[in-house]
Amino acid sequence: MQRMWYDPTTDRWSVDLQGRRYELHCGETLELYIGGEPVLCSVEMDRQQWYFVIKDVRFYLRTSDEYVVSI
């Protein structure tokens, strides 16, 4: 599991992979941990905001929050 955070200087969400920063791109698939359970999702961006797609449900990411994911 890794933490995912937003970097306003690059306008991208990033993940720490073994001490190296990895910037996420639209359409990338990952597991988001909700209540300790992994849920398969993809990360996308509309005109101005990033969001997750889980099956056919979408929700926007809060840039002030961090998320626990697995890539």
Side-chain angles (χ1 to χ4, degrees), residues 7-8 10-11 17 20 23 27-29 34 38 45 48 54 59 62-64 69:
D7 181 354
T10 61
D11 190 29
L17 293 176
R20 298 183 72 184
E23 293 180 349
E28 291 202 53
T29 302
I34 300 174
M45 185 175 194
Q48 296 180 346
I54 301 172
F59 67 91
R62 293 172 38 109
T63 58
S64 60
V69 299

Side-chain angles (χ1 to χ4, degrees), residues 17-54:
L17 293 176
Q18 299 174 353
R20 298 183 72 184
R21 178 182 167 167
Y22 176 76
E23 293 180 349
L24 295 170
H25 301 275
C26 289
E28 291 202 53
T29 302
L30 49 91
E31 290 180 323
L32 170 67
Y33 282 81
I34 300 174
E37 296 294 322
V39 177
L40 187 63
C41 66
S42 66
V43 64
E44 304 288 345
M45 185 175 194
D46 64 12
R47 292 185 181 142
Q48 296 180 346
Q49 253 185 309
W50 289 91
Y51 62 96
F52 279 136
V53 177
I54 301 172

Side-chain angles (χ1 to χ4, degrees), residues 3-14:
R3 70 179 184 94
M4 184 179 92
W5 74 95
Y6 179 74
D7 181 354
T9 60
T10 61
D11 190 29
R12 290 203 181 274
W13 286 87
S14 297

